[in-house]
mmCIF file of all heavy atoms in Angstrom:
data_model
loop_
_atom_site.group_PDB
_atom_site.id
_atom_site.type_symbol
_atom_site.label_atom_id
_atom_site.label_comp_id
_atom_site.label_asym_id
_atom_site.label_seq_id
_atom_site.Cartn_x
_atom_site.Cartn_y
_atom_site.Cartn_z
ATOM 1 N N PHE F 28 0.828 -1.206 0.000
ATOM 2 C CA PHE F 28 0.000 0.000 0.000
ATOM 3 C C PHE F 28 0.865 1.260 0.000
ATOM 4 O O PHE F 28 0.609 2.214 -0.757
ATOM 5 C CB PHE F 28 -0.924 -0.007 1.211
ATOM 6 C CG PHE F 28 -1.823 1.187 1.281
ATOM 7 C CD1 PHE F 28 -2.945 1.267 0.475
ATOM 8 C CD2 PHE F 28 -1.551 2.245 2.137
ATOM 9 C CE1 PHE F 28 -3.785 2.372 0.526
ATOM 10 C CE2 PHE F 28 -2.378 3.349 2.195
ATOM 11 C CZ PHE F 28 -3.498 3.420 1.389
ATOM 12 N N THR F 29 1.901 1.264 0.837
ATOM 13 C CA THR F 29 2.794 2.428 0.912
ATOM 14 C C THR F 29 3.510 2.647 -0.413
ATOM 15 O O THR F 29 3.677 3.785 -0.881
ATOM 16 C CB THR F 29 3.838 2.228 2.032
ATOM 17 O OG1 THR F 29 3.155 2.025 3.280
ATOM 18 C CG2 THR F 29 4.753 3.432 2.149
ATOM 19 N N TYR F 30 3.920 1.539 -1.016
ATOM 20 C CA TYR F 30 4.633 1.608 -2.292
ATOM 21 C C TYR F 30 3.752 2.196 -3.394
ATOM 22 O O TYR F 30 4.151 3.112 -4.124
ATOM 23 C CB TYR F 30 5.105 0.203 -2.674
ATOM 24 C CG TYR F 30 5.846 0.117 -3.983
ATOM 25 C CD1 TYR F 30 7.178 0.518 -4.090
ATOM 26 C CD2 TYR F 30 5.212 -0.382 -5.125
ATOM 27 C CE1 TYR F 30 7.858 0.430 -5.296
ATOM 28 C CE2 TYR F 30 5.890 -0.471 -6.330
ATOM 29 C CZ TYR F 30 7.216 -0.069 -6.411
ATOM 30 O OH TYR F 30 7.883 -0.155 -7.617
ATOM 31 N N VAL F 31 2.505 1.661 -3.498
ATOM 32 C CA VAL F 31 1.627 2.131 -4.571
ATOM 33 C C VAL F 31 1.184 3.571 -4.316
ATOM 34 O O VAL F 31 1.008 4.364 -5.260
ATOM 35 C CB VAL F 31 0.407 1.198 -4.733
ATOM 36 C CG1 VAL F 31 -0.605 1.384 -3.602
ATOM 37 C CG2 VAL F 31 -0.264 1.424 -6.081
ATOM 38 N N LYS F 32 1.019 3.932 -3.064
ATOM 39 C CA LYS F 32 0.633 5.309 -2.745
ATOM 40 C C LYS F 32 1.737 6.274 -3.163
ATOM 41 O O LYS F 32 1.473 7.370 -3.693
ATOM 42 C CB LYS F 32 0.355 5.446 -1.246
ATOM 43 C CG LYS F 32 -0.157 6.828 -0.848
ATOM 44 C CD LYS F 32 -0.473 6.882 0.645
ATOM 45 C CE LYS F 32 -1.000 8.277 1.013
ATOM 46 N NZ LYS F 32 -1.319 8.352 2.467
ATOM 47 N N GLY F 33 2.979 5.867 -2.952
ATOM 48 C CA GLY F 33 4.111 6.708 -3.351
ATOM 49 C C GLY F 33 4.191 6.885 -4.855
ATOM 50 O O GLY F 33 4.558 7.966 -5.349
ATOM 51 N N LEU F 34 3.812 5.836 -5.582
ATOM 52 C CA LEU F 34 3.870 5.901 -7.039
ATOM 53 C C LEU F 34 2.770 6.779 -7.646
ATOM 54 O O LEU F 34 2.842 7.128 -8.833
ATOM 55 C CB LEU F 34 3.774 4.500 -7.643
ATOM 56 C CG LEU F 34 4.993 3.581 -7.442
ATOM 57 C CD1 LEU F 34 4.748 2.234 -8.116
ATOM 58 C CD2 LEU F 34 6.267 4.220 -7.989
ATOM 59 N N THR F 35 1.787 7.140 -6.861
ATOM 60 C CA THR F 35 0.716 8.005 -7.396
ATOM 61 C C THR F 35 1.214 9.419 -7.675
ATOM 62 O O THR F 35 0.511 10.216 -8.316
ATOM 63 C CB THR F 35 -0.478 8.084 -6.411
ATOM 64 O OG1 THR F 35 -0.028 8.604 -5.152
ATOM 65 C CG2 THR F 35 -1.121 6.717 -6.223
ATOM 66 N N VAL F 36 2.421 9.716 -7.210
ATOM 67 C CA VAL F 36 3.033 11.025 -7.508
ATOM 68 C C VAL F 36 4.326 10.840 -8.301
ATOM 69 O O VAL F 36 5.211 11.705 -8.297
ATOM 70 C CB VAL F 36 3.306 11.818 -6.207
ATOM 71 C CG1 VAL F 36 2.008 12.191 -5.533
ATOM 72 C CG2 VAL F 36 4.201 11.019 -5.252
ATOM 73 N N ALA F 37 4.419 9.695 -8.987
ATOM 74 C CA ALA F 37 5.610 9.413 -9.787
ATOM 75 C C ALA F 37 5.721 10.378 -10.963
ATOM 76 O O ALA F 37 4.729 10.941 -11.430
ATOM 77 C CB ALA F 37 5.553 7.972 -10.299
ATOM 78 N N ASP F 38 6.946 10.575 -11.457
ATOM 79 C CA ASP F 38 7.179 11.474 -12.589
ATOM 80 C C ASP F 38 6.651 10.871 -13.888
ATOM 81 O O ASP F 38 6.133 11.606 -14.745
ATOM 82 C CB ASP F 38 8.676 11.765 -12.721
ATOM 83 C CG ASP F 38 9.197 12.574 -11.532
ATOM 84 O OD1 ASP F 38 8.391 13.299 -10.915
ATOM 85 O OD2 ASP F 38 10.403 12.441 -11.229
ATOM 86 N N GLU F 39 6.805 9.553 -14.047
ATOM 87 C CA GLU F 39 6.350 8.904 -15.276
ATOM 88 C C GLU F 39 4.825 8.856 -15.288
ATOM 89 O O GLU F 39 4.205 8.297 -14.376
ATOM 90 C CB GLU F 39 6.913 7.484 -15.386
ATOM 91 C CG GLU F 39 8.435 7.424 -15.400
ATOM 92 C CD GLU F 39 9.019 7.366 -13.986
ATOM 93 O OE1 GLU F 39 8.264 7.649 -13.034
ATOM 94 O OE2 GLU F 39 10.212 7.040 -13.860
ATOM 95 N N ALA F 40 4.237 9.416 -16.331
ATOM 96 C CA ALA F 40 2.781 9.529 -16.405
ATOM 97 C C ALA F 40 2.096 8.164 -16.395
ATOM 98 O O ALA F 40 1.067 7.986 -15.728
ATOM 99 C CB ALA F 40 2.388 10.313 -17.657
ATOM 100 N N ASP F 41 2.661 7.201 -17.163
ATOM 101 C CA ASP F 41 2.009 5.892 -17.236
ATOM 102 C C ASP F 41 2.073 5.153 -15.900
ATOM 103 O O ASP F 41 1.125 4.475 -15.506
ATOM 104 C CB ASP F 41 2.618 5.057 -18.352
ATOM 105 C CG ASP F 41 4.119 4.851 -18.187
ATOM 106 O OD1 ASP F 41 4.748 5.642 -17.453
ATOM 107 O OD2 ASP F 41 4.655 3.884 -18.774
ATOM 108 N N VAL F 42 3.200 5.311 -15.202
ATOM 109 C CA VAL F 42 3.341 4.680 -13.888
ATOM 110 C C VAL F 42 2.390 5.339 -12.892
ATOM 111 O O VAL F 42 1.719 4.667 -12.099
ATOM 112 C CB VAL F 42 4.795 4.782 -13.375
ATOM 113 C CG1 VAL F 42 4.886 4.261 -11.939
ATOM 114 C CG2 VAL F 42 5.735 4.008 -14.283
ATOM 115 N N LYS F 43 2.315 6.661 -12.958
ATOM 116 C CA LYS F 43 1.433 7.410 -12.061
ATOM 117 C C LYS F 43 -0.025 6.996 -12.274
ATOM 118 O O LYS F 43 -0.771 6.780 -11.307
ATOM 119 C CB LYS F 43 1.604 8.905 -12.310
ATOM 120 C CG LYS F 43 0.732 9.786 -11.434
ATOM 121 C CD LYS F 43 1.010 11.254 -11.707
ATOM 122 C CE LYS F 43 0.121 12.165 -10.853
ATOM 123 N NZ LYS F 43 0.417 13.602 -11.093
ATOM 124 N N THR F 44 -0.426 6.872 -13.521
ATOM 125 C CA THR F 44 -1.808 6.486 -13.844
ATOM 126 C C THR F 44 -2.101 5.068 -13.361
ATOM 127 O O THR F 44 -3.170 4.798 -12.800
ATOM 128 C CB THR F 44 -2.039 6.573 -15.363
ATOM 129 O OG1 THR F 44 -1.803 7.918 -15.805
ATOM 130 C CG2 THR F 44 -3.449 6.154 -15.718
ATOM 131 N N ALA F 45 -1.142 4.179 -13.594
ATOM 132 C CA ALA F 45 -1.316 2.789 -13.171
ATOM 133 C C ALA F 45 -1.420 2.690 -11.651
ATOM 134 O O ALA F 45 -2.274 1.975 -11.110
ATOM 135 C CB ALA F 45 -0.144 1.948 -13.673
ATOM 136 N N ALA F 46 -0.564 3.429 -10.960
ATOM 137 C CA ALA F 46 -0.569 3.408 -9.494
ATOM 138 C C ALA F 46 -1.878 3.965 -8.951
ATOM 139 O O ALA F 46 -2.440 3.448 -7.981
ATOM 140 C CB ALA F 46 0.611 4.217 -8.956
ATOM 141 N N GLN F 47 -2.363 5.016 -9.572
ATOM 142 C CA GLN F 47 -3.616 5.617 -9.124
ATOM 143 C C GLN F 47 -4.782 4.642 -9.290
ATOM 144 O O GLN F 47 -5.671 4.572 -8.438
ATOM 145 C CB GLN F 47 -3.898 6.893 -9.924
ATOM 146 C CG GLN F 47 -5.054 7.728 -9.360
ATOM 147 C CD GLN F 47 -4.756 8.271 -7.972
ATOM 148 O OE1 GLN F 47 -3.728 8.915 -7.752
ATOM 149 N NE2 GLN F 47 -5.662 8.000 -7.029
ATOM 150 N N LYS F 48 -4.756 3.888 -10.360
ATOM 151 C CA LYS F 48 -5.812 2.896 -10.604
ATOM 152 C C LYS F 48 -5.816 1.841 -9.501
ATOM 153 O O LYS F 48 -6.874 1.467 -8.976
ATOM 154 C CB LYS F 48 -5.602 2.240 -11.969
ATOM 155 C CG LYS F 48 -6.678 1.212 -12.322
ATOM 156 C CD LYS F 48 -6.468 0.655 -13.725
ATOM 157 C CE LYS F 48 -7.570 -0.330 -14.089
ATOM 158 N NZ LYS F 48 -7.425 -0.868 -15.461
ATOM 159 N N ILE F 49 -4.632 1.377 -9.140
ATOM 160 C CA ILE F 49 -4.519 0.363 -8.092
ATOM 161 C C ILE F 49 -4.895 0.949 -6.731
ATOM 162 O O ILE F 49 -5.623 0.339 -5.949
ATOM 163 C CB ILE F 49 -3.094 -0.212 -8.049
ATOM 164 C CG1 ILE F 49 -2.794 -0.966 -9.347
ATOM 165 C CG2 ILE F 49 -2.917 -1.138 -6.842
ATOM 166 C CD1 ILE F 49 -1.362 -1.411 -9.488
ATOM 167 N N TYR F 50 -4.410 2.179 -6.477
ATOM 168 C CA TYR F 50 -4.695 2.853 -5.209
ATOM 169 C C TYR F 50 -6.200 3.052 -5.033
ATOM 170 O O TYR F 50 -6.747 2.829 -3.949
ATOM 171 C CB TYR F 50 -3.966 4.193 -5.151
ATOM 172 C CG TYR F 50 -4.214 4.963 -3.871
ATOM 173 C CD1 TYR F 50 -3.472 4.674 -2.729
ATOM 174 C CD2 TYR F 50 -5.182 5.973 -3.809
ATOM 175 C CE1 TYR F 50 -3.692 5.379 -1.551
ATOM 176 C CE2 TYR F 50 -5.409 6.669 -2.641
ATOM 177 C CZ TYR F 50 -4.665 6.364 -1.512
ATOM 178 O OH TYR F 50 -4.892 7.062 -0.346
ATOM 179 N N ASP F 51 -6.868 3.473 -6.082
ATOM 180 C CA ASP F 51 -8.321 3.703 -6.019
ATOM 181 C C ASP F 51 -9.076 2.405 -5.732
ATOM 182 O O ASP F 51 -10.068 2.410 -4.994
ATOM 183 C CB ASP F 51 -8.823 4.303 -7.339
ATOM 184 C CG ASP F 51 -8.361 5.738 -7.548
ATOM 185 O OD1 ASP F 51 -7.929 6.368 -6.552
ATOM 186 O OD2 ASP F 51 -8.413 6.215 -8.703
ATOM 187 N N GLU F 52 -8.580 1.310 -6.305
ATOM 188 C CA GLU F 52 -9.241 0.023 -6.088
ATOM 189 C C GLU F 52 -9.085 -0.421 -4.639
ATOM 190 O O GLU F 52 -10.046 -0.880 -4.005
ATOM 191 C CB GLU F 52 -8.667 -1.037 -7.024
ATOM 192 C CG GLU F 52 -9.352 -2.385 -6.962
ATOM 193 C CD GLU F 52 -10.800 -2.335 -7.419
ATOM 194 O OE1 GLU F 52 -11.186 -1.374 -8.129
ATOM 195 O OE2 GLU F 52 -11.562 -3.261 -7.066
ATOM 196 N N ILE F 53 -7.885 -0.273 -4.103
ATOM 197 C CA ILE F 53 -7.645 -0.641 -2.706
ATOM 198 C C ILE F 53 -8.480 0.233 -1.774
ATOM 199 O O ILE F 53 -9.061 -0.244 -0.792
ATOM 200 C CB ILE F 53 -6.149 -0.513 -2.353
ATOM 201 C CG1 ILE F 53 -5.328 -1.540 -3.143
ATOM 202 C CG2 ILE F 53 -5.933 -0.723 -0.855
ATOM 203 C CD1 ILE F 53 -3.830 -1.420 -2.943
ATOM 204 N N SER F 54 -8.577 1.502 -2.108
ATOM 205 C CA SER F 54 -9.292 2.461 -1.266
ATOM 206 C C SER F 54 -10.774 2.139 -1.138
ATOM 207 O O SER F 54 -11.431 2.546 -0.170
ATOM 208 C CB SER F 54 -9.130 3.881 -1.821
ATOM 209 O OG SER F 54 -7.770 4.258 -1.837
ATOM 210 N N LYS F 55 -11.314 1.428 -2.097
ATOM 211 C CA LYS F 55 -12.724 1.055 -2.030
ATOM 212 C C LYS F 55 -13.032 0.216 -0.792
ATOM 213 O O LYS F 55 -14.167 0.192 -0.301
ATOM 214 C CB LYS F 55 -13.111 0.242 -3.270
ATOM 215 C CG LYS F 55 -13.134 1.036 -4.560
ATOM 216 C CD LYS F 55 -13.523 0.120 -5.700
ATOM 217 C CE LYS F 55 -13.520 0.860 -7.042
ATOM 218 N NZ LYS F 55 -13.878 -0.047 -8.164
ATOM 219 N N PHE F 56 -12.026 -0.471 -0.294
ATOM 220 C CA PHE F 56 -12.213 -1.358 0.850
ATOM 221 C C PHE F 56 -11.844 -0.686 2.171
ATOM 222 O O PHE F 56 -11.802 -1.330 3.219
ATOM 223 C CB PHE F 56 -11.377 -2.631 0.660
ATOM 224 C CG PHE F 56 -11.732 -3.374 -0.590
ATOM 225 C CD1 PHE F 56 -10.988 -3.187 -1.751
ATOM 226 C CD2 PHE F 56 -12.822 -4.230 -0.626
ATOM 227 C CE1 PHE F 56 -11.318 -3.867 -2.918
ATOM 228 C CE2 PHE F 56 -13.155 -4.902 -1.787
ATOM 229 C CZ PHE F 56 -12.410 -4.720 -2.936
ATOM 230 N N GLY F 57 -11.542 0.626 2.109
ATOM 231 C CA GLY F 57 -11.178 1.368 3.315
ATOM 232 C C GLY F 57 -9.686 1.572 3.421
ATOM 233 O O GLY F 57 -8.898 0.815 2.851
#
């Protein structure tokens, strides 16, 4: 969780988008 949250502010746009997608999915569960 910490790793993917950190990647949501990554410089690479594709990595940032991918991380945000995963982060949003995890967040659905609290």
